[in-house]
Amino acid sequence: MPQSLTLAEARAFLRVSDAAEDALLTLLIEAAEARVAAASGLALTPASPAPLRLSVLILAAHAYEHRASVDEAEPSLALVEPWLAPYRKARL
């Protein structure tokens, strides 16, 4: 179950009006949240900063829109790097 976004928020962002793809959207949100959490070093919640939540939406949207393309199956974090940069943990 997604932690930082509701399914309704993702459906609105992606302009998906019916529930037929809810399972896929949930999976994409969870995967995007995992990537953003790993990149930022933060656990995501509904109270997470807007740039982190937007990063999740952008990654999920990219994966949703390119789900049939083998070449773009792994969206780049470069898509959301400007949003993630302030939240990255310092590397030792």
Side-chain angles (χ1 to χ4, degrees):
M1 169 91 29
Q3 300 297 311
S4 65
L5 304 170
T6 65
L7 184 56
E9 288 172 313
R11 286 174 71 201
F13 185 79
L14 293 166
R15 296 186 176 127
V16 174
S17 59
D18 61 57
E21 297 194 73
D22 282 359
L24 172 62
L25 294 178
T26 298
L27 177 67
L28 295 175
I29 295 165
E30 289 174 353
E33 284 181 342
R35 293 191 72 195
V36 170
S40 67
L42 300 171
L44 301 180
T45 70
S48 292
L52 295 178
R53 297 175 74 239
L54 181 58
S55 294
V56 171
L57 285 170
I58 291 168
L59 286 172
H62 185 274
Y64 181 77
E65 292 168 2
H66 297 91
R67 63 193 176 274
S69 172
V70 173
D71 294 334
E72 297 188 57
E74 183 67 24
S76 171
L77 279 175
L79 291 170
V80 296
E81 181 57 36
W83 300 106
L84 292 174
Y87 302 96
R88 285 193 181 278
K89 281 188 171 180
R91 307 280 190 231
L92 298 176

